[in-house]
Amino acid sequence: MDTNKRPKILMIYTGGTIGMIENPDTRALEPFDFDHLIDNVPKIKMLDFDIDNFQFEDPIDSSAMNPEHWGEIAKVIEDNYEKYDGFVVLHGTDTMAYTASALSFMLEGLDKPVIITGSQLPIGEVRTDGEENLITALQIAAERDEHGQAVVREVAILFQNFLLRGNRSTKFSAGNFDAFRSNNFPPLATIGLDIQYDTDALLTCSRQVPLSVHYNMCSDVLYLDLFPGIQQDILSHILNAPNLKGVVMKSFGAGNGPNQSWFLEEIKKAVERGLVIVNITQCSNGMVLPNRYLTGLELSKAGVVPGHDLTSEAAITKMMYLFGKGYDTAQVKKRMEESLCGELSV
Ligand code: ASP
């Protein structure tokens, strides 16, 4: 690769606070267009690489994100993959970790940076965090090593001081500039005076195949958050929902659930009917250790799949991806325990 060539970056604007503007009547923040965003960051012109942009027809608040939107982002990346060295996706923070996780699975064989960023304050506001996030994301997307290879070759979230693996990230604060965490995996880079990459943490080889985008995400899935006092009839109703294929169960501590026999019976019956139930912890740090406590062991014996240290965002989007691939129950269960693109420590 020619190391002297100016990198070309495509910026994809989907919406989110970063580009929002206050509606004078309601005072609520509403998505606005790309030109408004760029007019507020004149520094972009100082970067020594080429930047083009693509705007979603209707920029959205990311709470309106859905798998079709993920498909639209993936399509823009696929259509422009050969033309650009890296991609920066501007996105609202609310569902950013879901989009980052989903794209990490959908973009099979990804070998270029896809850096997702946004901000907590609109870019037009004096104290905005958007300008710094945007500039740093662009710099990371353009970063290449001495061989001209992209330094980051995966989907990542850049927010304030850290670059985090997309499928390890979670939104942690609704109010702080430091809004994202990757509780079970080290940051891919730390942003200070310099950008310090952790080369051991970065994905070195992707799946060694050309980019191939998987578009079909199956939404016949659900979260089940356990709590003391959970009722049998309600649980049974949920687990018997028509079309339901998979459940991400958020359990206590290291993967434990209530020890009442009816609870285990309901779970067992659901598994026998072919439902995939993946067990992740409600704790923000640590992992499911299915053999540590009797209650966890019973869940495992009932056929529940340990989700190890998957984030809830990665667990649900991975399930959507695997069912979308058309895998049967046994294949989905097997792959939920394998690391496809760095989402799980095994
Ligand atoms: N509601 C906004 C969104 O997710 C919040 C943000 O961007 O920070 O689009």
Side-chain angles (χ1 to χ4, degrees):
M1 195 180 281
D2 179 2
T3 46
N4 297 319
K5 209 173 113 244
R6 272 164 75 92
K8 281 189 80 173
I9 307 300
L10 183 65
M11 229 185 327
I12 303 167
Y13 174 55
T14 69
T17 299
I18 191 161
M20 286 186 184
I21 209 159
E22 196 178 281
N23 178 319
D25 301 326
T26 63
R27 315 262 346 242
L29 291 174
E30 292 176 0
F32 209 66
D33 70 19
F34 195 83
D35 297 337
H36 153 78
L37 189 134
I38 291 308
D39 287 349
N40 280 285
V41 199
K43 277 189 202 153
I44 283 194
K45 298 193 184 81
M46 293 163 70
L47 297 170
D48 61 351
F49 38 87
D50 299 325
I51 303 166
D52 290 332
N53 60 66
F54 179 94
Q55 172 174 333
F56 261 37
E57 213 166 295
D58 289 313
I60 54 168
D61 184 299
S62 80
S63 41
M65 264 295 148
N66 62 42
E68 280 80 57
H69 295 121
W70 296 338
E72 282 178 49
I73 302 171
K75 180 87 175 84
V76 177
I77 293 172
E78 183 179 38
D79 289 348
N80 292 283
Y81 197 66
E82 295 311 323
K83 277 184 257 157
Y84 292 92
D85 299 297
F87 302 86
V88 169
V89 180
L90 301 174
H91 193 290
T93 57
D94 289 349
T95 61
M96 190 182 283
Y98 290 90
T99 298
S101 300
L103 288 178
S104 75
F105 301 119
M106 295 166 76
L107 300 172
E108 298 173 4
L110 180 72
D111 210 21
K112 293 187 179 184
V114 174
I115 312 298
I116 309 183
T117 196
S119 65
Q120 294 280 56
L121 281 179
I123 208 138
E125 291 200 10
V126 184
R127 289 178 53 250
T128 187
D129 51 330
E131 179 176 285
E132 215 174 284
N133 286 347
L134 174 55
I135 300 276
T136 310
L138 286 164
Q139 285 181 321
I140 291 172
E143 191 90 62
R144 290 183 294 171
D145 64 17
E146 64 277 18
H147 310 294
Q149 279 288 350
V151 172
V152 179
R153 293 150 78 182
E154 56 182 293
V155 179
I157 287 182
L158 178 280
F159 224 84
Q160 219 203 13
N161 292 328
F162 297 105
L163 180 74
L164 307 173
R165 172 158 303 149
N167 56 33
R168 293 286 195 155
S169 312
T170 208
K171 184 171 178 181
F172 146 85
S173 171
N176 292 348
F177 285 153
D178 172 20
F180 285 84
R181 287 276 189 278
S182 164
N183 290 307
N184 285 322
F185 197 75
L188 304 180
T190 304
I191 322 301
L193 293 182
D194 295 318
I195 301 174
Q196 300 277 358
Y197 292 94
D198 179 345
T199 42
D200 292 333
L202 287 160
L203 278 186
T204 42
C205 54
S206 51
R207 286 171 243 179
Q208 303 285 346
V209 284
L211 180 77
S212 130
V213 181
H214 174 83
Y215 287 100
N216 189 20
M217 298 292 272
C218 169
S219 294
D220 301 334
V221 294
L222 198 74
Y223 284 122
L224 169 65
D225 224 326
L226 300 184
F227 60 96
I230 189 167
Q231 294 286 323
Q232 179 172 10
D233 51 348
I234 298 174
L235 178 70
S236 168
H237 193 73
I238 291 170
L239 296 179
N240 280 291
N243 302 329
L244 185 64
K245 290 197 170 91
V247 169
V248 172
M249 184 173 77
K250 301 189 189 183
S251 62
F252 309 131
N256 306 308
N259 67 352
Q260 289 107 312
S261 53
W262 65 259
F263 176 77
L264 285 165
E265 262 321 297
E266 290 295 339
I267 297 287
K268 214 162 144 196
K269 278 193 283 178
V271 171
E272 279 163 8
R273 283 196 304 275
L275 197 70
V276 175
I277 305 182
V278 172
N279 189 8
I280 61 167
T281 175
Q282 289 174 359
C283 301
S284 39
N285 172 252
M287 63 170 80
V288 162
L289 300 165
N291 302 332
R292 190 171 169 96
Y293 295 95
L294 183 61
T295 48
L297 186 63
E298 300 283 6
L299 283 171
S300 229
K301 283 198 204 145
V304 170
V305 181
H308 304 275
D309 60 351
L310 282 172
T311 61
S312 63
E313 294 90 339
I316 201 99
T317 53
K318 184 172 179 179
M319 230 183 210
M320 294 168 83
Y321 164 79
L322 293 174
F323 281 119
K325 281 252 170 207
Y327 291 138
D328 64 22
T329 304
Q331 290 167 323
V332 172
K333 284 182 168 179
K334 180 169 172 286
R335 285 180 170 79
M336 282 304 297
E337 285 202 74
E338 294 168 358
S339 173
L340 303 183
C341 42
E343 74 279 11
L344 186 99
S345 309
V346 278

